[in-house]
Amino acid sequence: MSDHVYKLIEVAGSSTDGYDDAVKKAVTKAAASLDHLDWFEVTEMRGHIRDGQIAHYQVVVKIGFRLD
């Protein structure tokens, strides 16, 4: 196995459907402009409440991508 060096970015994703969807949106958006994404870590989870119901889910995600 080769040694790798990674760059970390932090992005926030949101969704009205749930935390899983918020993570998927964050990773998908990052993958649209970056190559070699290898892993992610959810560091924060929060949401917005409206009229006693969950209106939005939000996550902060660290994403690691390999440097060439």
Side-chain angles (χ1 to χ4, degrees):
M1 176 178 212
S2 302
D3 293 332
H4 298 291
V5 175
Y6 294 89
K7 171 83 175 161
L8 300 176
I9 61 167
E10 193 170 66
V11 296
S14 64
S15 172
T16 56
D17 295 326
Y19 290 115
D20 185 58
D21 190 51
V23 171
K24 288 177 183 176
K25 286 181 177 180
V27 170
T28 299
K29 191 67 164 180
S33 61
L34 297 169
D35 293 324
H36 310 297
L37 300 185
D38 275 356
W39 56 270
F40 72 92
E41 173 187 1
V42 177
T43 59
E44 297 179 34
M45 297 171 71
R46 67 178 66 85
H48 176 241
I49 299 170
R50 183 183 305 135
D51 299 324
Q53 301 293 318
I54 296 174
H56 291 92
Y57 300 83
Q58 186 182 53
V59 295
V60 175
V61 181
K62 285 185 182 177
I63 297 175
F65 60 96
R66 271 181 290 114
L67 298 176
D68 288 335

